[in-house]
Amino acid sequence: RARVYPPVPTYSAATKEVEQRDYERMLQDFPELADAEAVARVRGGLEKERLRGVARRGWAVARKVMESKKRELQRKDAIADNLLGMVQMARENEAMQAEINRVKAQMAVFDTLRN
């Protein structure tokens, strides 16, 4: 079995501890820095909230735009379908008219043959 050694503090961990200690000592020596830092922290939180709100509103606007585009496309599709239906009906009418004309011509031929 491998023996588990107590964790050896790394250089970076040691320097972090030292820096943290220095920082805390400096804040004790200059309390106005601590106040400024607290203000900055609060401001940062507020800014983060504000940006969250902006992002939320941005998404809402984008969603509305997308929905309006979707409705517009559906409307255009409906118009196109109507136009296609009209074209189809016109073609059918033309075909029927041609058929009627052909029958009339045949009837005229039969009339001339009969007379």
Side-chain angles (χ1 to χ4, degrees), residues 38-52:
V39 166
R41 197 176 296 129
V42 167
R43 270 206 195 119
L46 291 176
E47 184 68 9
K48 203 183 287 179
E49 279 302 310
R50 190 183 72 77
L51 289 176
R52 269 200 203 109

Side-chain angles (χ1 to χ4, degrees), residues 81-107:
D81 285 349
N82 283 345
L83 286 175
L84 284 175
M86 287 177 187
V87 167
Q88 187 71 25
M89 280 174 61
R91 283 198 186 127
E92 287 169 6
N93 285 348
E94 282 174 13
M96 282 172 62
Q97 198 61 45
E99 187 72 18
I100 289 170
N101 290 343
R102 200 173 59 78
V103 170
K104 277 184 184 171
Q106 279 181 348
M107 285 171 68

Side-chain angles (χ1 to χ4, degrees), residues 9-108:
T10 59
Y11 171 73
S12 61
T15 53
K16 278 180 194 165
E17 280 179 27
V18 169
E19 285 171 2
Q20 184 68 27
R21 219 171 290 126
D22 286 347
Y23 176 69
E24 286 167 6
R25 195 171 301 125
M26 185 184 69
L27 288 184
Q28 285 171 0
D29 292 344
F30 305 101
E32 64 274 7
L33 283 181
D35 294 344
E37 197 211 13
V39 166
R41 197 176 296 129
V42 167
R43 270 206 195 119
L46 291 176
E47 184 68 9
K48 203 183 287 179
E49 279 302 310
R50 190 183 72 77
L51 289 176
R52 269 200 203 109
V54 166
R56 204 175 302 121
R57 281 192 293 281
W59 273 113
V61 168
R63 205 175 299 117
K64 280 182 190 160
V65 168
M66 296 268 284
E67 284 169 2
S68 69
K69 293 270 186 219
K70 200 161 128 191
R71 279 196 298 274
E72 184 75 13
L73 278 175
Q74 286 171 343
R75 194 178 65 80
K76 285 181 179 171
D77 277 355
I79 290 173
D81 285 349
N82 283 345
L83 286 175
L84 284 175
M86 287 177 187
V87 167
Q88 187 71 25
M89 280 174 61
R91 283 198 186 127
E92 287 169 6
N93 285 348
E94 282 174 13
M96 282 172 62
Q97 198 61 45
E99 187 72 18
I100 289 170
N101 290 343
R102 200 173 59 78
V103 170
K104 277 184 184 171
Q106 279 181 348
M107 285 171 68

